[in-house]
Amino acid sequence: MRLPDSKPHLSLPRILEMNLGFLGLQFSFGLQQGNMAPIYSYLGASEASLPLLQLAGPMTGLLIQPLIGALSDRTDSRWGRRTPYFLFGAVLCALGLFFMPLSHSILMAVSMLWILDAGNNITMEPYRAYVSDRLNEDQHEIGFLTQSAFTGLAQMLAFLTPSLLVWAGMNQDWVDTHNIPYTARIAFMVGAVLSFSTILWSIKRVPELPLSLAERTAIAAKPKGFAATLKEIGSAIRDMPPAMRKLALMSLFQWYAMAAYWGYVIYSIGRSVYGTDVPTSSGFHSAVLTNGEMAAFYNGVAFVAAFAMVPLAKRLGAASLHALCLVLAGIGMLWLPHIESKALLFVPAIGIGIGWASIMGNPYVILAGAIPPERTGVYMGIFNMMIVIPMLLIAATLPFYYGPLMHGDPRNVLTLCGILMFCAAAAVWTVRERNAEGLPVGATQHD
């Protein structure tokens, strides 16, 4: 039986193995970011309606992650605390990916997206908690920033796959009877295999630590049932650490900007580089592929930057480093809509990639040091609410101001994204990381 807080120090290869499932999980998210808006457009959706059609992600995140977080904190099964959720979520994710490119209507595409996002969110939250479960505090930076690195690598591959297929000889304009390119179909089916196999590899190679007697006793003493889970979520929100409350304002600006960017960057490139706003045109297909190549590049930048941030986060502090990275991302988003050459798109993508690496790592470093270990799951789930609520706000607001304020031009949406990134940087600058005992992250009671 494991003693409390007796977590073994893991080598870098083992940390990479335990986070390999994040590669498959984020390959799935990359496919969504690069292809869902075009798929809806191919099936006849208007640009203004895109945020409403993308509601599956934020809604499932809002509903599922806090519940799964609270439930996994209370789970003591023969398969572990987090593993049952990893496996069930991986199966749903694979099914959603496989059937998505076979959609013959907007309704079917929306339905598949709900299944896909449910699977992603069931797996995502326990994966975040798994790092805190498995690693000591002095390895949190490398644990979460490794997840950030895998996010960059996975999304780079997801965005690049359609272009690789075209470079291999496929026709970018080869589409099915519903206007969905066959390159998208193959990419999604690759994602279905990758998402399930990498998650299975992670939990087999780096299984969860057995719960200590004290942990099992504490779980057994907790009230069971759906009502008790909801009460736990409410209690956790009421007792939220101050650092986590300050991260909420940052998340509002940061994730509104990222969701708007993903939703409209293809349409911006279509107008500025290819001079088209017609989804069925060859120019629009080129814009989709160009965005994939640019996104692959900035995710490659994120992959490298995430590892470079490990010593910087220790030296500067995760909050200060994150603020700097958000400023670079904001500059990139402001610049991008004004570029008319495909080759030059990759310059502002550097700033976006650095910002994206930080987004997927540094806030979790701050969070892991601020929350009590026994409530890691529920707080990771609540933190995800701070991610999805801004995305819900896009669906509730952007369709109404896209015409009158943005003048129906997606390039203006990207300008708004840049400004919001600056606001997020200002918000996170005031956060000072504190651990659950109120000490600076990395300090002990004897310091």
Side-chain angles (χ1 to χ4, degrees):
M1 184 65 67
R2 183 177 64 86
L3 296 174
D5 301 323
S6 60
K7 302 172 187 177
H9 188 90
L10 294 188
S11 65
L12 178 60
R14 294 285 282 170
I15 292 174
L16 291 173
E17 278 194 300
M18 73 176 282
N19 282 324
L20 184 64
F22 228 68
L23 180 76
L25 186 63
Q26 291 297 333
F27 191 94
S28 169
F29 277 115
L31 289 175
Q32 288 178 242
Q33 292 167 19
N35 294 277
M36 281 315 304
I39 285 174
Y40 285 137
S41 293
Y42 300 144
L43 295 172
S46 67
E47 288 181 6
S49 68
L50 293 176
L52 291 171
L53 294 173
Q54 304 270 27
L55 272 176
M59 283 299 295
T60 54
L62 183 67
L63 298 173
I64 289 175
Q65 285 213 26
L67 287 174
I68 294 298
L71 287 171
S72 67
D73 281 346
R74 297 161 178 262
T75 297
D76 180 12
S77 74
R78 58 183 293 187
W79 300 284
R81 175 186 278 185
R82 318 291 181 188
T83 300
Y85 305 96
F86 289 160
L87 292 175
F88 182 61
V91 170
L92 283 183
C93 181
L95 289 173
L97 286 169
F98 185 85
F99 288 104
M100 174 63 74
L102 305 178
S103 298
H104 52 73
S105 66
I106 292 176
L107 178 60
M108 180 176 176
V110 169
S111 300
M112 289 301 102
L113 185 60
W114 277 88
I115 292 173
L116 172 57
D117 269 318
N120 282 337
N121 281 287
I122 289 170
T123 305
M124 173 71 79
E125 189 288 324
Y127 228 123
R128 293 294 193 186
Y130 179 43
V131 171
S132 291
D133 291 346
R134 203 65 171 78
L135 301 177
N136 289 308
E137 187 176 306
D138 64 350
Q139 289 196 299
H140 281 175
E141 287 93 349
I142 186 63
F144 286 113
L145 288 169
T146 298
Q147 287 190 348
S148 176
F150 273 127
T151 297
L153 178 61
Q155 295 196 8
M156 178 182 71
L157 295 174
F159 279 110
L160 198 57
T161 298
S163 289
L164 291 175
L165 294 171
V166 171
W167 295 339
M170 285 188 70
N171 185 348
Q172 70 174 23
D173 299 323
W174 183 27
V175 300
D176 63 18
T177 54
H178 306 291
N179 298 313
I180 298 176
Y182 281 96
T183 52
R185 180 177 296 188
I186 294 174
F188 271 80
M189 291 181 180
V190 168
V193 174
L194 192 63
S195 64
F196 186 80
S197 61
T198 55
I199 291 170
L200 193 63
W201 179 274
S202 284
I203 59 180
K204 183 176 178 61
R205 295 288 296 168
V206 190
E208 294 185 72
L209 293 172
L211 295 172
S212 68
L213 180 60
E215 289 169 331
R216 299 186 72 174
T217 301
I219 290 173
K222 291 180 178 179
K224 303 297 187 291
F226 185 71
T229 301
L230 291 179
K231 185 177 179 180
E232 167 66 11
I233 294 171
S235 171
I237 292 173
R238 184 191 65 227
D239 300 334
M240 191 182 300
M244 188 174 176
R245 292 183 185 275
K246 291 182 179 181
L247 288 176
L249 182 60
M250 173 211 73
S251 293
L252 174 63
F253 295 126
Q254 169 182 287
W255 287 104
Y256 194 109
M258 289 306 304
Y261 173 83
W262 291 327
Y264 287 92
V265 63
I266 290 172
Y267 301 88
S268 174
I269 293 172
R271 284 169 168 80
S272 64
V273 178
Y274 295 100
T276 183
D277 60 356
V278 180
T280 55
S281 67
S282 180
F284 187 81
H285 292 159
S286 295
V288 173
L289 293 177
T290 295
N291 176 65
E293 293 160 17
M294 184 186 72
F297 174 74
Y298 81 63
N299 277 285
V301 170
F303 175 70
V304 175
F307 288 112
M309 286 181 194
V310 175
L312 289 175
K314 289 180 178 292
R315 178 173 297 181
L316 302 177
S320 299
L321 178 60
H322 188 48
L324 176 62
C325 293
L326 290 177
V327 169
L328 294 177
I331 293 171
M333 290 178 179
L334 285 175
W335 186 5
L336 194 146
H338 303 285
I339 293 175
E340 299 179 355
S341 165
K342 174 182 174 179
L344 289 179
L345 291 173
F346 294 86
V347 180
I350 296 172
I352 296 171
I354 293 172
W356 180 230
S358 186
I359 287 169
M360 294 304 293
N362 283 314
Y364 295 95
V365 174
I366 301 169
L367 183 64
I371 57 180
E374 69 275 9
R375 303 180 91 175
T376 296
V378 67
Y379 273 122
M380 288 292 180
I382 291 170
F383 188 64
N384 187 68
M385 294 172 65
M386 299 177 187
I387 297 173
V388 300
I389 288 174
M391 297 181 180
L392 290 174
L393 286 175
I394 286 180
T397 58
L398 200 147
F400 296 101
Y401 69 74
Y402 185 69
L405 296 181
M406 301 290 106
H407 305 294
D409 192 333
R411 290 169 290 190
N412 294 330
V413 176
L414 263 62
T415 299
L416 173 64
C417 293
I419 295 170
L420 290 175
M421 280 297 190
F422 294 150
C423 295
V428 76
W429 185 261
T430 65
V431 177
R432 291 294 175 264
E433 303 100 297
R434 311 291 291 183
N435 66 20
E437 286 76 36
L439 298 168
V441 171
T444 69
Q445 293 285 4
H446 304 291
D447 288 343

